[in-house]
Amino acid sequence: MSKHLIDLQNISKSFGNHLVLDEMNLYIRENEFLTLLGPSGCGKTTTLRIIGGFETPDVGRVIFDGEDITNLAPNKRQLNTVFQKYALFTHMTIAENIAFGLKIKKKSKSYIDDKIKYALKLVNLEDYGNRYPDSLSGGQQQRIAIARAIVNEPKVLLLDEPLGALDLKLRQDMQYELIRLKKELGITFIYVTHDQEEALTMSDTIVVMNQGYIQQIGTPEMIYNEPENAFVADFIGDSNIISSTMIQDKLVEILGVKFPCVDTGFGENKPVDVVIRPEDVEMINLLDDYENEMASAASSEDSWKKYGRIQGVVTHIIFKGVHYEMEVMANGFEWLVHSTQMFPVGQKVGINVDPFNIQIMNKPASEDEEAAPIEE
């Protein structure tokens, strides 16, 4: 296990009367790709700026490699920042842009020339040193901004929504570039985004934030498959979030139908929220009554008997390329379903969910509780 490189201890920050961060505690491991993810105003960029030294917390400490750097100037810290606006000097060549920080540090010409070659090769732009920024595409400019940051050999690279200005294809290409760079450089990446796909694609660890609090910390798989509350479930990908009742351990009532599940410890007859991902909803054509009875009798392993059943009608369908996205009205709830099998609008269907794909969560006592700090 990698050591803790950065430790944020009880960080609070306000702007005027607006509390942006409230007693935040977070550690970041060496060589980790950690993403701060959340909606606008959740505190993720403020957190990044505090790590970078561009903001000072009202309360709390920033520990870097065992040293308190809370009040250390940004240029004294062993990190570099890449912003959404690349901030390249338009009157300088690409090579001069990359060399800028090294010249300030009074490095030798031979050292600087070697670093320029190394950085351009690393970002696959070896022949671009004599060109100017306005001759490059957005993706190329972003790679130069990253090259300029990494030649200073930071222990940490901070990236503040660096791909936000790029179109979809360039954004996807740059995601893979960043993953490759992180592996090759062996440095710590701290990445800020509101884009769930970016976070899931690139991160070792995701920190989901809302209203100044950390909602959940975990791997992409954990965040997606085991959300700790309705906010995380709704923010990360598409979800069916349904008010339900936990009858007893491993049995939950969803929209009036009892479903086996695998969760325990929620009590008996307790209100809960259930999360079911659209791709985990299984559907089957409902035949006419006679044919349906015959099909059921013919199979002792019938999925309806194993898992429970809700009947509904397809109300909307969109072809998404790799799957169909359908809406199904069933028991008064509009289900979102992703499937490679197409069910036309008006088709009567049965809805089935495997017990392992039913995620049970405690229902918050109030709307404010969704933004409450989690227990470490």
Side-chain angles (χ1 to χ4, degrees):
M1 184 68 69
S2 300
K3 71 173 183 178
H4 296 183
L5 183 62
I6 298 173
D7 198 357
L8 303 181
Q9 300 178 353
N10 300 312
I11 298 291
S12 294
K13 180 67 178 179
S14 296
F15 295 101
N17 294 323
H18 179 54
L19 181 64
V20 178
L21 296 173
D22 191 4
E23 296 186 359
M24 176 194 228
N25 289 281
L26 175 67
Y27 63 80
I28 300 161
R29 298 183 183 93
E30 196 169 28
N31 300 333
E32 184 173 33
F33 195 126
L34 180 137
T35 297
L36 301 170
L37 174 67
S40 297
C42 72
K44 58 188 186 294
T45 294
T46 299
T47 302
L48 193 81
R49 289 178 64 81
I50 286 173
I51 295 170
F54 303 106
E55 300 286 352
T56 303
D58 301 329
V59 179
R61 300 194 306 161
V62 180
I63 307 299
F64 186 98
D65 205 11
E67 178 186 350
D68 188 338
I69 63 165
T70 309
N71 297 303
L72 197 65
N75 63 326
K76 301 293 185 183
R77 303 187 182 200
Q78 292 180 284
L79 46 80
N80 274 95
T81 307
V82 178
F83 298 99
Q84 181 175 341
K85 295 181 178 178
Y86 316 130
L88 298 176
F89 300 112
T90 56
H91 65 287
M92 293 183 182
T93 65
I94 298 308
E96 290 168 339
N97 266 278
I98 293 172
F100 183 77
L102 299 175
K103 287 182 177 179
I104 289 176
K105 293 180 178 179
K106 302 189 185 311
K107 299 292 185 181
S108 69
K109 185 178 184 305
S110 60
Y111 179 90
I112 292 174
D113 288 344
D114 286 345
K115 283 294 183 182
I116 291 171
K117 289 178 183 177
Y118 165 76
L120 287 174
K121 184 176 181 180
L122 201 61
V123 297
N124 293 321
L125 292 172
E126 292 99 320
D127 300 324
Y128 285 70
N130 293 322
R131 295 176 62 170
Y132 285 85
D134 58 6
S135 71
L136 305 185
S137 68
Q140 290 169 335
Q141 289 185 41
Q142 184 58 278
R143 281 192 265 171
I144 296 303
I146 292 169
R148 184 175 62 183
I150 61 180
V151 293
N152 293 300
E153 299 182 349
K155 282 194 172 183
V156 177
L157 191 62
L158 307 178
L159 301 110
D160 188 7
E161 305 212 39
L163 310 185
L166 304 181
D167 62 41
L168 178 61
K169 182 64 169 63
L170 273 176
R171 201 158 63 239
Q172 291 173 336
D173 289 344
M174 281 304 302
Q175 287 172 15
Y176 291 114
E177 283 293 314
L178 287 171
I179 294 169
R180 179 183 65 82
L181 283 171
K182 190 263 177 186
K183 290 179 179 177
E184 288 191 21
L185 292 168
I187 63 177
T188 302
F189 278 44
I190 304 175
Y191 192 94
V192 162
T193 186
H194 62 270
D195 188 309
Q196 302 94 322
E197 182 186 343
E198 276 186 13
L200 292 169
T201 299
M202 297 189 293
S203 311
D204 299 318
T205 303
I206 297 175
V207 179
V208 184
M209 299 180 65
N210 185 35
Q211 297 181 35
Y213 296 111
I214 294 174
Q215 297 291 306
Q216 187 171 352
I217 303 173
T219 64
E221 293 83 359
M222 184 186 301
I223 294 288
Y224 187 84
N225 293 321
E226 300 177 24
E228 291 189 359
N229 59 38
F231 173 80
V232 176
D234 192 43
F235 192 75
I236 305 292
D238 296 316
S239 296
N240 296 288
I241 303 176
I242 310 165
S243 292
S244 305
T245 301
M246 198 73 182
I247 304 300
Q248 61 190 47
D249 284 353
K250 300 185 179 181
L251 185 66
V252 62
E253 185 176 292
I254 304 172
L255 302 173
V257 177
K258 293 181 175 65
F259 280 81
C261 62
V262 297
D263 293 85
T264 61
F266 287 86
E268 295 185 359
N269 299 312
K270 296 292 185 181
V272 293
D273 282 327
V274 163
V275 175
I276 301 171
R277 295 293 186 183
E279 63 271 21
D280 291 331
V281 178
E282 302 169 14
M283 291 201 304
I284 189 169
N285 286 327
L286 289 183
L287 313 174
D288 63 46
D289 290 343
Y290 173 76
E291 290 176 321
N292 203 40
E293 285 179 17
M294 293 297 291
S296 179
S299 174
S300 60
E301 294 298 318
D302 191 287
S303 60
W304 307 128
K305 292 180 180 178
K306 289 169 66 180
Y307 303 135
R309 172 175 63 183
I310 294 178
Q311 296 185 17
V313 177
V314 178
T315 59
H316 192 67
I317 183 169
I318 299 173
F319 179 56
K320 290 280 191 171
V322 295
H323 64 258
Y324 294 93
E325 181 174 283
M326 292 164 280
E327 293 174 2
V328 179
M329 182 57 69
N331 287 23
F333 182 83
E334 191 168 67
W335 295 71
L336 183 65
V337 182
H338 293 167
S339 175
T340 55
Q341 184 178 359
M342 191 274 286
F343 295 82
V345 171
Q347 172 69 55
K348 292 182 180 180
V349 295
I351 285 178
N352 172 26
V353 187
D354 187 289
F356 286 93
N357 292 329
I358 297 174
Q359 177 72 23
I360 309 293
M361 303 182 303
N362 284 309
K363 184 175 284 294
S366 66
E367 291 184 9
D368 290 339
E369 191 177 312
E370 286 193 11
I374 63 168
E375 295 181 4
E376 294 284 351

